[in-house]
Amino acid sequence: MSAAPVTSPSRSRDGTAASLLNDEERTRIRAKSAQFAPPAAALPDGRRDLVGLSREELTDIMVEIGEKPFRTKQLWHWIYHQGATDFSRMSSIARPLQEKLAERFIVGRPGVVTEQTSQDSTRKFLFRFRDGQEAETVYIPDRQEDRGAVCISSQVGCTLSCTFCHTGTQALVRNLGAAEIVGQFMAARDSYGEWPSPKGDTPRLLSTIVLMGMGEPLYNYDNVAKAMRIIMDGEGIGLSRRRITLSTSGVVPMMDQCGAELGINLAVSLHAVRDDLRDEIVPLNRKYPIREVIAACRRYPAASNARRITFEYIMLRGVNDSEADARELVRLISGIPAKVNLIPFNPWPGSSYRPSTREQLERFANIVMDAGFASPIRMPRGRDILAACGQLRTESQRLRRAERTDTAPDPAGA
């Protein structure tokens, strides 16, 4: 009698995701993430960056230097509400303490390498961090109102290699730290002069955050979660969880954790309705197939009619844009509080894909809308500066361990 075929947990016939949702699997993901850990948030002279520290960490540091814990509230106000980067501007703090803080700490920002503004007012920043690595951030203003979304990166490069995405052609260099993630939003605010943080019903120009930039946020969950907790803190930046959306290609175990711990909005980069095709264009599907991704969406605790899950669907001509694909998409998401963002493919150098025709886009959208789901066709923004969806990429390269030590091989095989 022949042996039974070996089936991976993600392909198990019973359809359960239990083996992927336990602590062991999350531990494995975190262990892999640790291989791409960001450098310490400190300068060569030993001064430490206060941006990116939790309240508890900031309190511990104040106690270490002989200060009272109440200093945390003062500093938090100046750093995240007022946007101050110079201790001498913190007028509620006595000058001797200002000088003491300046000797030991900084309130940092990523360096702005380039800042480009598109013809449609989209603005793209190329930020450089202290180790020389770079990532891109995009501000997308609303067309009708004085508000807009900041599209933030979570990694330098990406490990997913989605075939339609320009970022996917850049190898993962490293994760971004909490300071670097928060710093992108703060630097964008610097550019628009939106300090102090607006309160209550005061309009916000930078009104929402979308974790849709470079990288897979759930493969850098701990740093992303820490950064979002800082941004959501009501005594600082004070951005509501309802105004933050995390986009994932479907890292199922961390989707559950994100929903339980952060409760922010969820967007899922689906892009195909059959496993064979999604295996090809979104290789992560080989680990977490469509069935398991959809099941994770159904149990996502923050999902409701008021806060729908967004399914992102890149429209590739002759690949995934047929009427049959649209009907299967409707079947897959039936019963989920959801909307579907149809994204025309944004060409980039070297890609062989073509965008769907306008007529096919509309046929696809009509099938989804007739089933009761909002299905807007996302108009490309910032194409002229390569700031549109799927176009972000930097020239940062993974540093080889051999180059750093002149002896050891690179464990990542770069």
Side-chain angles (χ1 to χ4, degrees):
M1 183 174 64
S2 61
V6 176
T7 306
S8 71
S10 62
R11 300 290 192 182
S12 58
R13 291 185 178 181
D14 62 9
T16 66
S19 62
L20 297 177
L21 301 176
N22 55 25
D23 289 341
E24 182 179 345
E25 175 68 5
R26 294 191 184 97
T27 298
R28 185 196 65 78
I29 290 172
R30 283 190 165 94
K32 185 172 182 180
S33 176
Q35 298 175 21
F36 298 94
L43 271 65
D45 63 10
R47 287 182 297 163
R48 184 171 181 178
D49 195 347
L50 296 183
V51 174
L53 297 179
S54 68
R55 280 183 177 268
E56 294 76 17
E57 290 170 333
L58 188 52
T59 298
D60 290 344
I61 284 178
M62 289 300 101
V63 172
E64 284 176 11
I65 65 170
E67 296 297 324
K68 299 294 185 182
F70 77 86
R71 296 297 185 190
T72 294
K73 185 171 184 177
Q74 289 181 313
L75 285 167
W76 198 273
H77 172 83
W78 284 108
I79 294 170
Y80 296 116
H81 180 68
Q82 297 291 346
T85 57
D86 186 341
F87 291 109
S88 67
R89 285 188 52 209
M90 301 181 182
S91 56
S92 63
I93 297 175
R95 184 171 298 278
L97 180 54
Q98 291 177 357
E99 295 172 353
K100 181 179 181 180
L101 292 171
E103 289 173 359
R104 293 167 170 81
F105 308 111
I106 63 164
V107 179
R109 295 285 194 275
V112 180
V113 179
T114 59
E115 183 175 320
Q116 299 171 276
T117 302
S118 167
Q119 294 175 357
D120 63 21
S121 298
T122 297
R123 187 169 296 181
K124 183 172 77 168
F125 304 88
L126 176 61
F127 290 125
R128 180 171 295 154
F129 306 105
R130 292 191 190 97
D131 63 351
Q133 299 296 348
E134 299 171 346
E136 292 185 321
T137 303
V138 177
Y139 173 66
I140 308 166
D142 189 275
R143 293 181 184 273
Q144 280 80 41
E145 301 182 43
D146 288 337
R147 64 183 185 184
V150 184
C151 183
I152 288 178
S153 294
S154 56
Q155 297 178 310
V156 179
C158 189
T159 190
L160 298 185
S161 302
C162 297
T163 57
F164 56 82
C165 181
H166 199 199
T167 311
T169 66
Q170 178 182 344
L172 177 62
V173 179
R174 67 168 175 84
N175 290 328
L176 294 179
E180 295 166 328
I181 296 169
V182 175
Q184 292 173 65
F185 183 78
M186 297 174 78
R189 268 203 170 169
D190 293 345
S191 178
Y192 285 90
E194 195 174 50
W195 298 106
S197 295
K199 289 289 187 180
D201 295 329
T202 304
R204 291 173 180 253
L205 191 63
L206 281 66
S207 59
T208 58
I209 285 175
V210 288
L211 288 153
M212 297 182 182
M214 299 170 62
E216 166 55 65
L218 293 185
Y219 274 151
N220 185 23
Y221 176 76
D222 291 334
N223 286 308
V224 166
K226 186 178 182 182
M228 292 306 104
R229 289 189 183 103
I230 291 169
I231 284 172
M232 292 188 290
D233 188 294
E235 294 185 3
I237 292 171
L239 203 62
S240 164
R241 68 188 63 209
R242 295 174 177 270
R243 296 188 176 276
I244 300 174
T245 298
L246 182 145
S247 177
T248 178
S249 290
V251 185
V252 170
M254 307 312 293
M255 289 168 68
D256 288 305
Q257 185 159 356
C258 177
E261 294 182 351
L262 298 179
I264 57 181
N265 300 320
L266 183 69
V268 175
S269 296
L270 192 61
H271 306 313
V273 295
R274 307 188 323 270
D275 279 326
D276 60 335
L277 177 58
R278 197 166 188 266
D279 284 351
E280 176 186 340
I281 66 176
V282 184
L284 182 65
N285 195 72
R286 300 167 194 165
K287 178 70 175 175
Y288 307 114
I290 292 172
R291 178 186 63 251
E292 294 178 7
V293 173
I294 296 297
C297 292
R298 292 188 186 281
R299 61 179 178 263
Y300 193 74
S304 66
N305 287 330
R307 298 177 63 195
R308 294 169 292 174
I309 290 176
T310 300
F311 288 95
E312 298 167 313
Y313 199 94
I314 195 90
M315 296 291 286
L316 304 172
R317 189 184 303 186
V319 177
N320 65 350
D321 63 348
S322 71
E323 287 89 337
D325 288 318
R327 288 189 287 270
E328 177 62 10
L329 175 59
V330 167
R331 188 193 69 80
L332 282 172
I333 67 175
S334 177
I336 300 175
K339 69 175 182 178
V340 178
N341 270 351
L342 298 180
I343 308 169
F345 172 67
N346 296 304
W348 44 268
S351 174
S352 60
Y353 291 115
R354 294 184 298 164
S356 300
T357 65
R358 185 69 191 184
E359 294 75 18
Q360 192 61 22
L361 271 167
E362 292 176 353
R363 282 194 289 267
F364 196 106
N366 287 336
I367 291 171
V368 178
M369 286 189 290
D370 287 346
F373 297 98
S375 184
I377 298 171
R378 188 192 295 176
M379 297 305 296
R381 304 287 297 276
R383 271 185 172 177
D384 55 317
I385 57 172
L386 288 179
C389 180
Q391 292 186 319
L392 302 187
R393 190 184 190 281
T394 74
E395 296 305 315
S396 292
Q397 300 295 324
R398 184 184 304 161
L399 293 176
R400 297 175 184 266
R401 185 181 296 270
E403 292 174 353
R404 295 196 298 269
T405 65
D406 293 327
T407 56
D410 178 9

